[in-house]
Amino acid sequence: MKLFVDTADTKAIAELAEMGLIDGVTTNPSLIMKSGRDIFEVVREICDLMEGMPVSAEVVATNAGEMEAEGLKLKEIASNVVVKVPLTWDGLKACRRLSGQGIEVNVTLCFSANQALLAAKSGATYISPFIGRLDDINLDGMELIEDIVEIYENYEFDTQVLAASIRTANHVRDAAKIGAHVATVPPDLIKKLTLHPLTDKGLASFLADWKKSGGEIL
Ligand code: G3P
């Protein structure tokens, strides 16, 4: 499973990119707002940091013509920009128009398998089902990932399932088990995936014994 980071925080992206842990970046209007920066400036910086890997930048228009125009403008920032459009009727029209021009499109705000089916038929490169927001209203976000993976496999769609709105370590594990192609995860949560109390306990005991041994490595 590819791992994308869901943020517009360039400091966090730079650290993860240097570690080679991430395969792409996703942003949305809320994350751009949180960064406090101009979308063109921040997306350009992210694209430079990611060296050719996919960086999703989202349109904010609601009709197909304007979404297409915004998408084309965002795409001018760098060749690795993936244009993100919402899963609406007009969003699907914009997806078809942009993908027809060879532009990669991430269709976002997906909450049902039928929406995902239409996105694939509209030429989406990625479909972004939101796990956490479904769980928030007592529905099963992971079941949606499972349904979409199954449907795409049945009909050999090329669209990649990009599990989004990931809130927990179990979301990451389950998306990987189900076969999501990508998970986009907030930077803090990626860091937390390293944590295990037995790792901390084991390390403390190794270091205590090492101290007693009086040995030195450097
Ligand atoms: O970028 C889309 C998605 O990952 C949003 O997550 O936590 O705001 O539901 P969240």
Side-chain angles (χ1 to χ4, degrees):
M1 184 174 71
K2 283 180 270 188
L3 191 62
F4 288 4
V5 64
D6 198 25
T7 187
D9 175 346
T10 50
K11 206 171 150 216
I13 294 168
E15 185 182 14
L16 290 161
E18 198 199 340
M19 291 174 76
L21 278 177
I22 49 170
D23 308 290
V25 176
T26 52
T27 66
N28 62 36
S30 304
L31 293 170
I32 298 288
M33 181 273 291
K34 233 169 129 182
S35 78
R37 297 179 61 188
D38 170 71
I39 183 167
F40 291 96
E41 180 198 292
V42 75
V43 171
R44 191 167 297 115
E45 196 178 323
I46 296 170
C47 287
D48 286 348
L49 287 168
M50 293 308 294
E51 291 176 358
M53 285 184 257
V55 175
S56 289
E58 189 163 341
V59 302
V60 288
T62 52
N63 71 71
E66 283 176 29
M67 282 188 207
E68 181 187 3
E70 287 184 357
L72 292 172
K73 198 166 170 200
L74 290 169
K75 185 69 193 175
E76 278 172 14
I77 299 173
S79 58
N80 50 333
V81 166
V82 174
V83 176
K84 210 171 174 188
V85 302
L87 210 156
T88 58
W89 193 247
D90 277 69
L92 293 181
K93 283 185 190 172
C95 177
R96 170 56 64 199
R97 291 180 197 172
L98 291 163
S99 62
Q101 295 167 66
I103 293 172
E104 293 195 324
V105 182
N106 176 354
V107 179
T108 189
L109 289 166
C110 171
F111 295 96
S112 81
N114 284 332
Q115 288 181 319
L117 179 62
L118 294 183
K121 293 185 82 67
S122 302
T125 306
Y126 302 98
I127 181 69
S128 290
F130 278 28
I131 300 175
R133 292 193 196 185
L134 283 168
D135 289 359
D136 286 346
I137 58 163
N138 287 325
L139 293 172
D140 189 343
M142 209 47 74
E143 199 174 278
L144 175 60
I145 302 291
E146 221 168 337
D147 287 348
I148 300 172
V149 167
E150 186 181 336
I151 290 168
Y152 283 7
E153 273 174 15
N154 284 347
Y155 300 103
E156 296 177 359
F157 285 118
D158 291 333
T159 306
Q160 297 183 44
V161 180
L162 194 168
S165 186
I166 285 196
R167 309 267 174 78
T168 68
N170 287 351
H171 280 159
V172 180
R173 180 201 59 202
D174 293 344
K177 281 177 75 178
I178 289 167
H181 303 90
V182 191
T184 191
V185 183
D188 294 355
L189 181 53
I190 295 181
K191 212 166 180 180
K192 278 190 195 149
L193 298 180
T194 59
L195 299 179
H196 198 287
L198 289 179
T199 303
D200 295 341
K201 197 177 163 198
L203 181 61
S205 119
F206 284 157
L207 293 182
D209 288 343
W210 184 247
K211 211 171 174 185
K212 282 182 221 156
S213 82
E216 270 178 21
I217 294 179
L218 285 179

